[in-house]
Amino acid sequence: MVILLKNGNSHLKYKTSHTTYANPVWYNHLSKNNKTINTLINSMYKRFQKSKYVGATNKLMFFDNQTKQHITTIVTA
């Protein structure tokens, strides 16, 4: 899951080099890999709702980590 932050929230991004910042990326827990896609998305969304990113996020984008295919997007703003 990629967390796309609103403008002005660079302090929540990860520093990748001296001048580059990236949006946070979360992965599902390995123990959950045998679950359905919808179950994984729901559990990751619940974790997101309890995080520091809730008010600072525009969208959540979900991808399949093996195929790199986009699964779905949730607009939070």
Side-chain angles (χ1 to χ4, degrees):
M1 174 178 74
V2 178
I3 301 171
L4 301 175
L5 298 171
K6 295 177 184 176
N7 289 336
N9 288 292
S10 294
H11 63 286
L12 294 173
K13 292 185 177 185
Y14 292 102
K15 193 171 189 177
T16 59
S17 69
H18 294 290
T19 58
T20 310
Y21 291 88
N23 285 307
V25 176
W26 287 3
Y27 298 90
N28 69 297
H29 297 292
L30 290 176
S31 64
K32 309 288 188 221
N33 278 351
N34 58 348
K35 304 284 184 183
T36 65
I37 297 275
N38 287 336
T39 301
L40 293 173
I41 289 171
N42 289 337
S43 64
M44 291 183 81
Y45 185 71
K46 286 179 186 175
R47 280 195 296 146
F48 164 76
Q49 288 178 312
K50 298 175 186 173
S51 75
K52 64 183 176 184
Y53 302 110
V54 171
T57 303
N58 279 327
K59 292 181 185 179
L60 301 173
M61 296 182 73
F62 294 87
F63 295 89
D64 184 313
N65 198 36
Q66 292 177 339
T67 65
K68 310 297 186 216
Q69 295 283 43
H70 177 255
I71 298 169
T72 191
T73 298
I74 298 174
V75 177
T76 60

